[in-house]
Amino acid sequence: MKKILAVLLVLFTLAGCSNSAPAENGKETVAETKVESETEEKGTIVVGASIVPHAEILEQTRSILADEGYELKIVEFADYVQPNLALDTGDLDANYFQHEPYLISFNEEHNLDLVSVGKIHYEPFGIYQGQKSSLDELEQGDKISVPNDPTNEARALGLLEAEGVITIKEGAGLNATKLDIVDNPHEIEIVELEAAQLAKSIDDVAFSVINGNYALQDGLTADQVIAFESKDSVGAETFANVVAVKAGNENNPKIIALMEALQSEKIKTFIQDTYEGAVEPSF
């Protein structure tokens, strides 16, 4: 009888040990599943962007967001209308392609409520070499091309003024046009062109004042630049490119994670190393 009891006791003990291992492993599996589930629940962040440089910059955040449990989906747009309409309808979580003055104007025109959640970069205007390689070579009647849309023309003229080529009427600021030029020592002819055509027609003028994104798209390089718009210029401060969301989504965890990734040191370094001054971080 004692032997039988001893055997039963051993079997009972072994059975208890045998049951405890799966229970412990099961608990770990449940915990791991819970963590994985929480990661999956963070889901996908869908961001609309212009191809250059916005989508390129966003691509660099992919690994940062993955570490936080998010998948990044970039939707590229070739125009400046659809990204805001898609954001309003909820097809996008955010977009990244515009500066705040454009966003405000678009809201007013389309009766939308989209808001900026932060600045990422600005694209400084540059004076690019055309037929000549130095402003010292300017001669009477030389042509310099600038964008023909109001705010960008004002920025271009402001850069020419900063470089001593012309003088603009005091107070004209971001509303300046070529009609506001009050001093033009070389009688420079200001040629107004659509922004997208400036780089394509650069061989027809002495110099061209071009926005950074168009210069990049058309393959212009830093060694073709005479001067860049300074980081503390009115244009750079005002026209920094922002991330926009639908009002009410500013504190969405997805958006917070996206902004932390975009305003990280990794992205700052990428912008500075990649674009050689044609794009500059604004954070």
Side-chain angles (χ1 to χ4, degrees):
M1 180 62 72
K2 288 181 180 180
K3 288 182 180 180
I4 293 173
L5 287 173
V7 170
L8 289 174
L9 181 60
V10 170
L11 290 173
F12 179 80
T13 302
L14 290 173
C17 292
S18 175
N19 286 335
S20 68
E24 187 177 347
N25 291 337
K27 185 176 180 181
E28 289 174 359
T29 302
V30 169
E32 290 168 359
T33 302
K34 184 177 180 181
V35 170
E36 289 173 1
S37 177
E38 287 174 351
T39 300
E40 289 171 3
E41 284 174 5
K42 290 184 177 181
T44 302
I45 305 174
V46 185
V47 186
S50 298
I51 299 171
V52 179
H54 307 78
E56 295 175 343
I57 294 171
L58 275 169
E59 185 62 40
Q60 302 305 308
T61 70
R62 190 177 297 280
S63 61
I64 301 173
L65 291 169
D67 289 342
E68 297 298 319
Y70 292 103
E71 179 184 353
L72 175 65
K73 179 179 179 181
I74 302 170
V75 182
E76 295 181 347
F77 290 89
D79 72 289
Y80 289 171
V81 175
Q82 296 306 315
N84 278 337
L85 297 181
L87 181 58
D88 180 65
T89 59
D91 292 331
L92 303 174
D93 294 310
N95 68 37
Y96 171 38
F97 75 98
Q98 65 194 321
H99 50 61
E100 195 160 14
Y102 179 81
L103 175 62
I104 292 170
S105 174
F106 195 95
N107 276 335
E108 292 173 351
E109 183 178 349
H110 296 271
N111 194 29
L112 302 183
D113 193 8
L114 310 178
V115 297
S116 165
V117 289
K119 299 176 181 179
I120 305 302
H121 78 269
Y122 75 99
E123 296 159 11
F125 271 76
I127 301 175
Y128 287 80
Q129 300 171 8
Q131 298 165 343
K132 298 186 175 181
S133 59
S134 169
L135 292 176
D136 294 334
E137 300 173 11
L138 275 173
E139 297 177 308
Q140 295 296 114
D142 273 347
K143 296 179 180 180
I144 298 179
S145 58
V146 301
N148 63 1
D149 56 291
T151 54
N152 283 328
E153 180 172 358
R155 288 178 71 184
L157 294 175
L159 178 54
L160 290 173
E161 181 177 48
E163 294 302 312
V165 177
I166 58 173
T167 302
I168 302 171
K169 181 173 66 179
E170 187 175 352
L174 292 175
N175 294 313
T177 70
K178 66 179 183 179
L179 298 177
D180 294 303
I181 298 173
V182 294
D183 188 25
N184 186 357
H186 291 96
E187 297 181 351
I188 299 302
E189 180 183 346
I190 300 297
V191 180
E192 298 167 316
L193 296 175
E194 184 182 347
Q197 298 303 314
L198 291 168
K200 295 177 175 60
S201 59
I202 198 166
D203 292 334
D204 299 328
V205 294
F207 302 98
S208 186
V209 190
I210 308 175
N211 193 314
N213 66 314
Y214 285 114
L216 288 169
Q217 287 176 22
D218 284 287
L220 299 183
T221 59
D223 59 6
Q224 295 172 268
V225 181
I226 304 295
F228 275 125
E229 191 176 30
S230 67
K231 188 170 185 176
D232 58 358
S233 68
V234 174
E237 290 284 346
T238 304
F239 298 104
N241 282 216
V242 301
V243 173
V245 301
K246 196 168 184 178
N249 291 337
E250 298 94 321
N251 296 316
N252 185 305
K254 287 184 177 183
I255 303 306
I256 293 172
L258 176 65
M259 292 305 295
E260 288 178 350
L262 279 169
Q263 294 179 333
S264 66
E265 284 301 313
K266 174 184 176 180
I267 299 306
K268 178 179 286 188
T269 300
F270 171 79
I271 292 173
Q272 292 170 332
D273 291 350
T274 303
Y275 300 110
E276 300 180 313
V279 180
E280 290 285 353
S282 293
F283 56 92

